[in-house]
Amino acid sequence: MTVQLLTPSGMFEPVPYHHVSIGTGTRHVHVAGQIARDAEGNPVATGDLTGQVAHALRNTARGLAGAGASFADVVRLRFYVARWSPDMYPAFIAGIEQVREELGLPQPLPPLSAIGVDYLFEPDVLVEVEADALLD
């Protein structure tokens, strides 16, 4: 197994992700910030954080697949969320749940960070996703 996910005893729970990942692969895959755009670059789910999280994760899955990886190989996820506030959490999690089965997202997720930022790529972009994976 290339990636082992765990939450050691004594670490804060419950959270929707593992706190630690151990990777033993030799090929590193890094998927750059994915946003809610279709293949032609058109905005998807404008103004809808849930929809943008779901679509950005779909694009992340495409990037992983292009390198021969999947979310099972991911050791770390990063979400950058524009104008973050705690009341956005339910919509953020709903976007993940919307595509969990479709994309084969592990449950709990790999270690992740949700980082609030002032703005992203363009004014309509609410979320950007990065993934790091390891393959043998």
Side-chain angles (χ1 to χ4, degrees):
M1 173 179 264
T2 303
V3 177
Q4 177 188 359
L5 303 175
L6 64 125
T7 296
S9 178
M11 294 190 87
F12 174 71
E13 290 188 81
V15 291
Y17 57 88
H18 284 286
H19 287 277
V20 178
S21 65
I22 301 167
T24 57
T26 56
R27 281 192 325 140
H28 294 242
V29 177
H30 302 277
V31 179
Q34 296 300 301
I35 59 175
R37 293 284 193 267
D38 65 18
E40 289 77 39
N42 300 309
V44 175
T46 302
D48 173 17
L49 179 60
T50 297
Q52 286 200 20
V53 167
H55 198 80
L57 284 168
R58 286 184 185 107
N59 285 341
T60 302
R62 288 181 188 99
L64 290 166
S70 73
F71 278 102
D73 303 304
V74 170
V75 294
R76 179 119 172 107
L77 286 169
R78 276 175 224 81
F79 293 83
Y80 298 93
V81 185
R83 300 170 294 284
W84 175 260
S85 66
D87 63 314
M88 296 166 73
Y89 184 77
F92 174 78
I93 292 298
I96 294 169
E97 291 302 321
Q98 184 176 322
V99 294
R100 181 178 295 282
E101 287 185 32
E102 172 190 339
L103 302 179
L105 296 173
Q107 189 171 3
L109 292 162
L112 69 84
S113 297
I115 303 161
V117 296
D118 289 335
Y119 57 88
L120 288 163
F121 180 69
E122 291 182 352
D124 65 293
V125 177
L126 302 177
V127 67
E128 186 171 323
V129 181
E130 294 180 342
D132 299 322
L134 284 174
L135 300 172
D136 281 330

